[in-house]
Amino acid sequence: MDLLHIVTQMLMIFGIVLVGLFAAKRDLWSGDLDRKLSVFIMNISMPALILASVMGKDLAFENSELVALGVVAVVNYIVLIGLAYLIPHVFKVNKARMGICRFMLAFGNVSFIGYPVCDAVFGSKAVFCASVLNIPFNLLVFTIGVSFINGGKAKSAFSPKLILSPCVIASLIAVVIAIARIKMPVPVGEWFHLLGDLTTPCALLIIGSSLSHIPVRDMFGNRFVYSMTLLRLIVLPLAVGGVLALMGINPFVSDVAVVLSAMPVATNGIMLCLQYGKDERVMTQGLFFTTLMSVVTIPLVAYVASLF
């Protein structure tokens, strides 16, 4: 794996995030635009990007890769959630922050940042892999994730409608296309690629705009946030990579899974903290600092994972 290529791609991604931040600071981008464009991305352009990932001429998937994807989708979250339970006990995290710590460790921003990064670093084939690996996310973040934030209580924010979200439906259709090796007409594939290509720049601009609303005093956090950043961005992804290497998983699938595991803290965490009256300031600091540091850590983790 070419480390220089990964670093270059991450700098380009971060550059677009900075454009979004600058535009929002200069009142060239509004919060209302964030909300509307987010709905467009999650319901139209991101599903198109997922479907486009299986419509290229050179994107045939081996049976071993398809089987590996299903296995890795399960193993990935077993490792992340298992360590998210264990680590706070090992480090004796304050009980008030226990749930926030677990959420930050278990759930990364696998959609808004995950898809653009995988597309930039690995190409379109990785977007399909990521879409399959991300299928468990909605179910887990709104059940186990809510349990983390809500102090272990059974109440859930999960809705059956999440199972039928456009991205999940697109992922399942993409799996069928890949398994059946359905050849789509070239104009159809080009149309999906054209629409799906809107996802990356729009998502990154929204991230930049969202970060612009974080007060300066909340940006750089404290030792707790720094520790969570190290664990979320480096330790946990490499743990996932080590487990997958021991299992003999297809290297390409393993590399994509490791990079997805190295994403910054999921934005859902802030929403859930506000909903359940928890400390959203710490979650906001974690979101900002992990997003900032991921520009450096993702290339590092991707390169080290390729050596497994």
Side-chain angles (χ1 to χ4, degrees):
M1 185 179 293
D2 187 346
L3 180 60
L4 180 60
H5 169 72
I6 301 173
V7 172
T8 301
Q9 294 301 315
M10 287 305 302
L11 289 175
M12 291 173 62
I13 286 172
F14 190 65
I16 298 177
V17 171
L18 289 179
V19 170
L21 191 152
F22 174 80
K25 289 291 188 182
R26 301 288 293 181
D27 291 328
L28 301 174
W29 192 282
S30 69
D32 188 54
L33 180 57
D34 278 349
R35 289 187 291 273
K36 291 182 178 179
L37 196 54
S38 296
V39 173
F40 171 82
I41 290 171
M42 297 305 296
N43 289 279
I44 297 178
S45 71
M46 194 173 288
L49 179 69
I50 293 169
L51 291 171
S53 69
V54 290
M55 293 184 183
K57 295 179 181 178
D58 58 345
L59 296 178
F61 289 85
E62 300 295 331
N63 289 335
S64 61
E65 290 178 320
L66 294 173
V67 172
L69 278 172
V71 173
V72 174
V74 175
V75 171
N76 181 45
Y77 279 103
I78 289 176
V79 174
L80 291 177
I81 292 175
L83 289 176
Y85 269 107
L86 178 63
I87 288 174
H89 286 296
V90 173
F91 288 93
K92 298 180 180 179
V93 174
N94 183 293
K95 187 175 181 180
R97 289 182 171 177
M98 183 79 74
I100 291 174
C101 172
R102 285 174 170 165
F103 187 95
M104 291 171 70
L105 294 177
F107 299 105
N109 196 339
V110 293
S111 295
F112 258 54
I113 298 182
Y115 287 123
V117 168
C118 286
D119 193 22
V121 174
F122 299 109
S124 297
K125 186 175 181 178
V127 175
F128 168 73
C129 295
S131 70
V132 176
L133 296 176
N134 288 345
I135 287 175
F137 178 83
N138 278 338
L139 174 62
L140 295 173
V141 79
F142 289 109
T143 50
I144 293 177
V146 167
S147 177
F148 287 162
I149 297 295
N150 204 26
K153 297 178 183 178
K155 187 175 181 180
S156 170
F158 177 74
S159 166
K161 291 182 180 179
L162 292 171
I163 293 293
L164 299 177
S165 70
C167 285
V168 172
I169 292 173
S171 300
L172 296 176
I173 294 173
V175 169
V176 172
I177 292 174
I179 292 175
R181 302 188 185 279
I182 299 171
K183 295 289 185 181
M184 303 300 292
V186 173
V188 173
E190 291 179 348
W191 184 86
F192 276 100
H193 275 283
L194 185 62
L195 182 58
D197 285 345
L198 293 171
T199 302
T200 296
C202 289
L204 296 175
L205 289 170
I206 291 172
I207 291 168
S209 175
S210 299
L211 293 178
S212 73
H213 304 303
I214 298 176
V216 174
R217 68 179 183 277
D218 289 346
M219 285 186 175
F220 295 102
N222 48 47
R223 285 190 297 176
F224 174 77
V225 172
Y226 302 152
S227 300
M228 292 303 99
T229 298
L230 177 65
L231 291 166
R232 160 119 286 281
L233 298 184
I234 297 180
V235 176
L236 266 67
L238 293 181
V240 169
V243 171
L244 297 180
L246 291 174
M247 294 175 62
I249 297 295
N250 178 286
F252 181 80
V253 174
S254 178
D255 287 349
V256 173
V258 170
V259 168
L260 279 178
S261 300
M263 291 299 112
V265 173
T267 55
N268 309 70
I270 296 175
M271 175 194 71
L272 292 175
C273 282
L274 291 170
Q275 182 175 348
Y276 293 104
K278 302 301 179 180
D279 187 2
E280 77 278 3
R281 181 176 177 180
V282 173
M283 189 70 77
T284 300
Q285 290 171 335
L287 171 64
F288 173 81
F289 201 68
T290 55
T291 300
L292 179 67
M293 294 305 297
S294 67
V295 179
V296 176
T297 59
I298 287 175
L300 175 63
V301 168
Y303 181 73
V304 174
S306 69
L307 302 178
F308 285 166

